[in-house]
Amino acid sequence: VPPALVDFNPNDEAHDESLRPQRLEQVVGQKKVVDRIRIMLDATRKRGDTLGHLLLDGPPGIGKTTLATVIPRELGVDCQIAAGPALSAPKDLLPYLTNAGERSVLFIDEIHRLPANVEEFLYPAMEDFRIDIALGEGLNARTINVQLKPFTVIGATTRAGMLTAPMRDRFVNREHLDFYETPDLEEIVRRNAKKLKTTITDEAANEVARRSQGTPRKANNILLRTRDYATLSHPDGQITTEIAVHALGMLEIDELGLERQDRRYLETIISIFGGGPAGLQAIAHSMSLSPDSLEDDIEPFLLRMGLIQRTPRGRIVTPTGYTHVGRKP
Ligand code: ADP
């Protein structure tokens, strides 16, 4: 086994930067979302205004960060990037707010992870571009009011449902990014093969696209590993269908695009919980994974493919799910 194929993680973010589209015209697919964003940008530019706050939600690796970084570039304004989980207190958010230049963008990834006190600190900043800072304690306590420059928050979340209502209401623009169709992923694979100075046949691009779970990040990572395999096994390094199929087999990605972890999830519910309903916590515990990673990385695609169902009493493997892992319902 070529070393490059060991420890494959299709969710690896290491190559995101080098393959990320820089301009809106390079963003593939998500046509309706991109069209609406283009209108938002044109109108904002025409008015000489600040873009309204924008919330992007969708599964991991689907283009939220890409859009969030393309937008300020299109507007010709500065962009700051903050990670929700790293903002544990208002003081962590403060420098971002005071540094935010006129009309600049502050991208907050995983915005559903902000603690309540940080969220509350952010509200007046988003609404009136001001913040209240508490100084001193007891009798000496006072609040000073700091005026900020008008700026735009772009929030990204994998769980729109976990966002508090007041937080959600602060976003005048909200866009949902869904899984990509195969032709769009093929286009992404072909473009990125070119960026990587590799050739890939159309048929092989289709093979990679079909097995990427509708997710560009996964398509990119599969492409990279397939390219390694092609380099080692073919004199001209071209990615043919034969090579792609072989590499996908080694990566243990099946016909539907399920990975080892996805099949393990189905097997766990079938073997340990009699096919369900099984609670998220219990499944996570049996698999030694966090419930968050199940909900973010594994379940959305299985739900979409109809391999599992979510019921009030827990997760159930559907007959299609049983058949997929070679079991009888
Ligand atoms: P998210 O922030 O939703 O987790 P990213 O925006 O970081 O996902 O996307 C991961 C990678 O997938 C990017 O670096 C980029 O190469 C690719 N990608 C995502 N969306 C698109 C798209 N619409 N067109 C082209 N490439 C994309």
Side-chain angles (χ1 to χ4, degrees), residues 13 15-21 26-30 58-67 107 109 156 177 180 188 192 195 216-218 220:
E13 297 175 24
H15 304 283
D16 278 1
E17 282 320 310
S18 58
L19 296 176
R20 206 188 289 292
Q26 296 161 356
V27 173
V28 177
Q30 307 284 355
I62 209 98
K64 299 182 297 296
T65 305
T66 300
L67 283 173
F107 172 49
D109 200 5
L177 301 183
Y180 290 66
I188 291 172
N192 288 340
K195 275 194 201 169
R217 179 178 291 137
K218 288 185 195 269
N220 287 347

Side-chain angles (χ1 to χ4, degrees), residues 107-177:
F107 172 49
I108 306 180
D109 200 5
E110 297 190 70
I111 196 164
H112 61 277
R113 301 257 180 114
L114 291 183
N117 60 340
V118 177
E119 256 194 45
E120 278 155 28
F121 187 63
L122 188 56
Y123 295 156
M126 290 176 74
E127 232 157 305
D128 308 320
F129 305 119
R130 66 173 174 83
I131 42 176
D132 302 313
I133 302 177
L135 294 176
E137 272 173 32
L139 282 179
N140 295 323
R142 63 200 168 96
T143 307
I144 56 165
N145 198 271
V146 179
Q147 191 63 41
L148 305 171
K149 304 215 176 68
F151 71 107
T152 303
V153 173
I154 301 184
T157 177
T158 47
R159 314 264 189 87
M162 258 178 70
L163 220 60
T164 62
M167 185 81 253
R168 201 166 42 237
D169 292 344
R170 298 295 185 294
F171 290 96
V172 285
N173 304 307
R174 290 174 225 161
E175 292 293 346
H176 172 72
L177 301 183

Side-chain angles (χ1 to χ4, degrees), residues 300-309 316-322:
F301 187 71
L302 298 180
L303 282 163
R304 173 173 150 117
M305 297 307 285
L307 302 175
I308 58 165
Q309 265 174 9
I316 297 176
V317 176
T318 64
T320 321
Y322 272 87

